[in-house]
């Protein structure tokens, strides 16, 4: 099946599944900014849904949810796995036209209302997401249906869903299919053939292990006293050439300074130093991150293929919910403080001659070769999400994955839990697990750079 162009119109990345409140809220916002044509193979929405109406005989709301769950569960695994890791999502209370929300019910009650229609074999979970509605905060019902698997039965309505209009009643045994065009409808003969193939087919199970090879989380603190020390040091270094020139107090040398291109007066240079220091303080966090990513020992993970099948384009995705920030590991040639200073804004020293317009050499440090493989992708906007570059593994082979740096944003020394999932382009399904990363003692950025603990490490 070719990629549905409709999935490209929805402002949501379908490569990974939303797993928490923040990510589900992004999905809700994407639906609000979509069009009716953007309902997809993996996503359905409904602006309103009443699951417990005053008319007790009205089961239309529950029947709609059951119909959607069965449709998502009856997809073919290889097609479903192409989007959001195979999951299906039904959102109620939001549409491309409005965010009105739905009445919030106890989850236990909600499951009790829907379970008789879908049975107990389909894996689905309901939750509510608070979103900014058109008239204030509202609750959005999100039904998540787990990815279909080879060997799954043919799912159908386990109980009749009557309707006041006889022709709209859904009989027991009705089978629904989710279509690539974003609709759900009754199964046809060809659909039953495919579901029969799914029932009897057993695909090889993806079996991978992910372990920590080396590295730890580095809690980096930013005491104001240390920031002040750094700023004082930068000021002293910036003013040294001027002070040396003034200390010589020699009129001939002063003229020579002008001849070699120094046109700034001592006062104008001091003003320039003040502006330089303001820029340094503003860019201090970025400079600290860049230097830390280059000098500390990165985290390296080892992926093991525990199957007898060669695995192609295996991608590992990490989700970290602790207060950390991920950085791409960089090669650093300088010692710790030297690298840190290199990342700060530049100052043209007093008496250094004409200022050249050529860019600094280190501005090219992050350029990648056009022949380089896929880069690591890091998202620090919410829970940390790290897409490690895909790798190929022969049967029984171990591969060390792209290293990265984790900085704790709080002075915590507890281990950091990581949830991971992995998929392969030549094997259906996914595998997931958890691992724990050790956390070092908190260190001020100044002490970290001064110690330069990894200057001799082998990358």
């Amino acid at each position: 099946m070719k990629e549905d162009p409709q999935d490209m119109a929805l402002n949501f990345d379908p490569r990974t599944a939303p797993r928490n409140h923040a990510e589900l809220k992004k999905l809700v916002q994407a639906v609000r900014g979509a069009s009716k044509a953007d309902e997809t193979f993996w996503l359905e929405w409904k602006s309103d849904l009443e699951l417990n109406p005053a008319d007790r005989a009205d089961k239309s709301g529950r029947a709609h949810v059951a119909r959607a769950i069965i449709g998502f569960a009856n997809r073919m695994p290889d097609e479903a796995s192409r989007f959001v890791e195979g999951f299906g999502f039904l959102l109620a209370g939001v549409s491309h036209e409005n965010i009105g929300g739905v009445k919030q019910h106890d989850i236990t009650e909600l499951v009790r209302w829907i379970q008789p229609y879908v049975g107990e074999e389909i894996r689905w979970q309901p939750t509510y997401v608070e979103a900014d509605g058109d008239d204030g905060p509202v609750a959005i019902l999100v039904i998540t249906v787990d990815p279909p698997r080879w060997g799954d039965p043919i799912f159908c309505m386990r109980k009749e869903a009557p309707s006041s209009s006889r022709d709209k009643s859904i009989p027991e045994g009705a089978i629904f299919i989710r279509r690539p065009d974003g609709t759900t409808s009754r199964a046809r003969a060809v659909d039953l053939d495919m579901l029969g193939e799914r029932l009897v087919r057993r695909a090889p199970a993806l079996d991978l292990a992910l372990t920590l090879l080396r590295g730890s989380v580095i809690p980096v603190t930013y005491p104001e006293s240390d920031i002040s020390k750094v700023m004082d040091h930068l000021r002293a270094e910036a003013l040294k050439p001027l002070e040396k020139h003034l200390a010589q107090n020699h009129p001939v040398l002063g003229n020579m300074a002008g001849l070699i291109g120094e046109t700034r007066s001592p006062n104008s240079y001091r003003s320039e130093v003040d502006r330089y220091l303001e820029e340094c303080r503003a860019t201090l966090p970025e400079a600290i991150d860049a230097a830390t990513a280059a000098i500390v020992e990165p985290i390296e993970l080892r992926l093991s293929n525990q199957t007898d099948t060669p695995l192609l384009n295996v991608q590992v995705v990490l989700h970290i919910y602790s207060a950390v920030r991920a950085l791409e590991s960089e090669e650093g040639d300088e010692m710790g403080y030297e690298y840190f200073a290199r990342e700060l804004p530049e100052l043209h020293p007093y008496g250094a001659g004409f200022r050249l317009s050529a860019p600094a050499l280190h501005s090219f440090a992050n350029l990648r070769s056009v022949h380089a493989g896929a880069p690591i992708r890091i998202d620090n906007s919410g829970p940390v999400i790290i897409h490690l570059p895909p790798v190929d593994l022969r049967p029984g082979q171990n591969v060390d994955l792209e290293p990265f740096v984790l900085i704790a944003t709080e002075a915590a020394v507890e281990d950091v839990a990581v949830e991971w999932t992995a998929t392969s382009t030549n094997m259906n399904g996914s595998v997931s697990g958890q691992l724990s990363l050790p956390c070092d003692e908190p260190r001020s950025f100044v002490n970290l750079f001064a110690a330069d603990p990894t200057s001799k490490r082998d990358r």
Side-chain angles (χ1 to χ4, degrees), residues 9-279:
L10 188 73
N11 186 22
F12 189 84
D13 187 349
R15 289 173 293 186
T16 58
R19 298 179 181 277
N20 55 49
H21 186 278
E23 293 170 354
L24 290 173
K25 189 172 181 178
K26 288 182 181 178
L27 181 58
V28 171
Q29 294 167 340
V31 169
R32 182 63 181 91
S35 69
K36 178 60 179 175
D38 291 333
E39 282 190 302
T40 72
F41 189 52
W42 58 272
L43 175 63
E44 178 180 344
W45 61 77
K46 191 170 176 62
S47 60
D48 192 20
L49 189 66
E50 181 55 73
L51 296 178
N52 192 30
D55 181 3
R56 299 297 184 185
D58 181 9
K59 308 298 184 185
S60 59
R62 302 178 189 184
H64 185 91
V65 173
R67 182 173 176 272
I69 292 174
I70 291 171
F72 284 129
N74 276 336
R75 295 173 298 162
M76 298 300 286
D78 51 355
E79 295 179 353
S81 65
R82 296 177 63 247
F83 306 104
V84 290
E85 303 171 46
F87 289 88
F89 294 90
L90 169 64
L91 275 59
V94 60
S95 72
H96 56 289
E97 296 177 331
N98 61 75
I99 302 182
V102 295
K103 183 178 179 181
Q104 191 164 347
H105 300 285
D106 182 85
I107 293 295
T108 303
E109 281 292 288
L110 193 153
V111 172
R112 187 175 65 83
W113 294 335
I114 305 300
Q115 198 81 49
Y117 296 101
V118 301
E120 297 183 357
E121 291 194 58
I122 300 179
R123 304 168 301 279
W124 63 282
Q125 305 83 32
T127 190
Y128 287 95
V129 174
E130 183 179 310
D132 297 327
D134 298 332
D135 299 314
V138 295
I140 307 299
L141 173 63
V142 179
I143 303 287
T144 304
V145 183
D146 280 10
R149 302 177 298 194
W150 296 109
D152 278 349
I154 301 174
F155 297 110
C156 65
M157 290 288 288
R158 311 298 296 183
K159 177 183 177 181
E160 181 183 3
S163 172
S164 56
S165 176
R166 184 63 184 172
D167 60 343
K168 293 185 178 180
S169 296
I170 303 178
E172 179 182 339
I175 301 171
F176 293 98
I177 299 292
R178 185 69 179 175
R179 307 289 179 190
D181 64 359
T183 61
T184 300
S185 59
R186 293 285 188 93
R188 301 188 294 261
V190 66
D191 300 317
L192 295 178
D193 290 341
M194 290 191 298
L195 289 174
E197 178 187 349
R198 186 184 75 171
L199 174 63
V200 299
R201 180 175 167 184
R202 294 290 188 271
L206 187 63
D207 191 3
L208 294 161
L210 187 68
T211 55
L212 174 64
L213 187 61
R214 63 176 62 88
S216 58
V217 181
I218 309 296
V220 181
T221 60
Y222 312 91
E224 185 60 35
S225 58
D226 283 348
I227 294 177
S228 297
K229 289 177 184 178
V230 170
M231 301 307 295
D232 290 344
H233 174 76
L234 293 174
R235 178 183 293 277
E237 290 296 310
L239 292 175
K240 271 184 181 180
L242 175 62
E243 292 171 350
K244 181 179 179 181
H245 171 73
L246 295 176
Q248 290 174 340
N249 195 21
H250 196 293
V252 176
L253 292 177
N255 291 333
M256 288 178 62
L259 289 174
I260 62 173
E262 183 53 76
T263 60
R264 294 167 292 181
S265 68
N267 286 337
S268 65
Y269 180 70
R270 291 189 184 97
S271 297
E272 186 174 332
V273 168
D274 290 339
R275 291 191 296 271
Y276 159 74
L277 294 173
E278 290 176 1
E279 293 177 5

Side-chain angles (χ1 to χ4, degrees), residues 414-436:
E414 297 180 353
D415 289 352
V416 172
V418 178
E419 296 181 7
W420 63 272
T421 59
T423 55
S424 172
T425 57
N426 69 321
M427 188 173 288
N428 296 314
S430 63
V431 63
S432 60
Q434 291 187 337
L435 56 87
S436 182

